[in-house]
Amino acid sequence: MRGGWPLPAAVCASAIIVAMFLPWMLVVALGALGWLVLRVRTDLLRAEDETLDLLRRLRSARSDDERAEQLRRVLDAAGTPIIATDADGVITAASRSASRTLGGGRRLIGVRFDELFTQPELHEMERLARAGEPGRARLKMPVEGELRTLVVSADSLDRGSGCVVTLRDVTELVKASELKADFAANASHELRTPIASIRGAAETIQGPARNDPAMLERLTGMISSNAARLEALVNDLLDLSRLESGETPPSLSEVDLREVFEHQREQFEPTCKRKDLRVEFDIDPVVSRIRTDPVLLDLILRNLVENATKFAREGTPVVLAARPESIPPDPVNPPPAGADLPMGVRITVRDEGIGIPIAHQQRIFERFYQVDRARTGGSVQRGTGLGLAIVKHATRRLGGTVGVDSVYQQGTTMIVELPRCADRPAPHHGVSRPHEDGDGSR
Ligand code: ADP
């Protein structure tokens, strides 16, 4: 309400007082009263309009702020470096990821785009995008001290008013597709060799060797050993792809380790007989029963025992041992659901064989890696180079790790550690003899 009404109010008040004595003054008083009401109403209406206008302006200012805040949140949530520049190439907005990875955590708004990057191709892209020519390129550049591969897109805002540059890190994607291509090349190479041998032998049988019994026998033997090699390769490839796809989660049940070890001994009996090897067990009673996936455990042990018996020197022992071990679960690769026992188990497979030179020890877990193909003997003995990759993946699926301890020309111990699969020893009295179960049996 504004000024202007005190006068009619005063006139009205004095008219009422006088009207008490002079009736004609009553008319004047009523007129003044009407004027007063009119005045107050006009002022009230004007004040209401002003308040509404103020509120409208306040609301619009708040929604501008909100929109800016929302935009900032969207940029940050993208998790990718995104930078917007104005018509002069000065940064006007940057996602959190951009300031963290490209700006070392500092505020980028107000910095010139070409001061932030040293790559001339990037400057050019940003300049062209500002001029209305968007672009896209794959660049290698250092990010947080590491050379990374980035897909950069520069898009124009309204012609001449600036641009938005997005830098997507595709390093892992590129690595994965390179690995996939390597794997396909290796697998086809490994498969092609036995196929070519089988084909050659079959063609010779149909041709020159048709009537030569000695030659026929040699060639059919060749076909059979190469078919066995193909079968081994295909089985290993299937095991590996099943493990990598992670389709079926591990299925845990109680497993008797002695029975599992016994099963391995039976499987490799022919090799052991031929090389006069003794397969011995050394199982701590605390872990005689563990809770794990029996199929994965069998896959792990089968590959390790196969290698141990293959590379062991004649007449030596191959020892399968198990001990309780406190193994903290790895947060990056946690144990499977349901693996909740307090202790872990450490399983070792030890041989006294040719050993692995130290320079090769870290690489033996790679797919198709073989230290020296000549060492593995004839084609019957030759492995696929996939065994330890299968062991690594199967162990990972159980939340565990695999390692190697080997001395060249002396022997190898492969170590598998699985968390959360064993109970604590029951409290007992008397002297503890943890190794009394080790039987050294043949
Ligand atoms: P392979 O099918 O050739 O055995 P693996 O992946 O199982 O493939 O093993 C990779 C390589 O590691 C083998 O070719 C061999 O050179 C080496 N290796 C694995 N286990 C042993 C071992 N117990 N003793 C010596 N060398 C081993």
Side-chain angles (χ1 to χ4, degrees), residues 258 262 265-266 269 272-281 315-318 439-442:
R258 176 172 292 278
E262 226 24 287
R265 177 152 60 187
E266 280 161 21
E269 204 170 319
C272 293
K273 262 209 178 116
R274 188 162 39 81
K275 293 178 73 176
D276 188 25
L277 302 174
R278 303 182 304 278
V279 178
E280 300 174 356
F281 305 155
T316 54
V318 169
D439 59 1
S441 54
R442 242 192 106 135

Side-chain angles (χ1 to χ4, degrees), residues 225-381:
S225 68
N226 276 291
R229 177 156 176 73
L230 269 183
E231 198 181 352
L233 267 167
V234 171
N235 285 341
D236 278 0
L237 284 170
L238 279 176
D239 281 342
L240 201 58
S241 97
R242 241 177 264 139
L243 285 169
E244 285 190 339
S245 74
E247 273 162 16
T248 39
S251 163
L252 307 183
S253 61
E254 194 159 291
V255 168
D256 185 322
L257 264 189
R258 176 172 292 278
E259 278 174 18
V260 176
F261 284 2
E262 226 24 287
H263 176 63
Q264 300 303 327
R265 177 152 60 187
E266 280 161 21
Q267 278 196 79
F268 295 99
E269 204 170 319
T271 318
C272 293
K273 262 209 178 116
R274 188 162 39 81
K275 293 178 73 176
D276 188 25
L277 302 174
R278 303 182 304 278
V279 178
E280 300 174 356
F281 305 155
D282 181 4
I283 305 170
D284 188 304
V286 171
V287 289
S288 61
R289 299 184 79 79
I290 59 169
R291 195 172 149 70
T292 190
D293 183 316
V295 177
L296 289 176
L297 184 63
D298 178 69
L299 199 58
I300 293 168
L301 287 173
R302 188 178 354 123
N303 281 289
L304 294 183
V305 178
E306 181 179 2
N307 280 345
T309 54
K310 188 161 67 180
F311 295 109
R313 274 194 304 275
E314 286 195 8
T316 54
V318 169
V319 185
L320 311 191
R323 295 266 169 281
E325 186 87 25
S326 164
I327 303 165
D330 177 0
V332 180
N333 175 43
D340 50 9
L341 293 172
M343 288 296 285
V345 68
R346 180 181 215 255
I347 298 176
T348 50
V349 177
R350 178 164 58 84
D351 67 68
E352 291 176 16
I354 60 176
I356 304 168
I358 194 130
H360 294 271
Q361 288 182 12
Q362 279 318 304
R363 297 205 60 192
I364 55 173
F365 298 98
E366 290 172 20
R367 294 181 287 193
F368 293 113
Y369 192 83
Q370 292 181 307
V371 172
D372 172 8
R373 288 177 179 218
R375 308 191 316 160
T376 59
S379 58
V380 182
Q381 274 280 80

Side-chain angles (χ1 to χ4, degrees), residues 100-117:
R100 195 188 60 237
T101 57
L102 305 169
R106 72 187 158 127
R107 195 177 141 81
L108 297 181
I109 296 173
V111 175
R112 287 194 60 81
F113 186 86
D114 49 15
E115 277 172 21
L116 185 60
F117 297 100

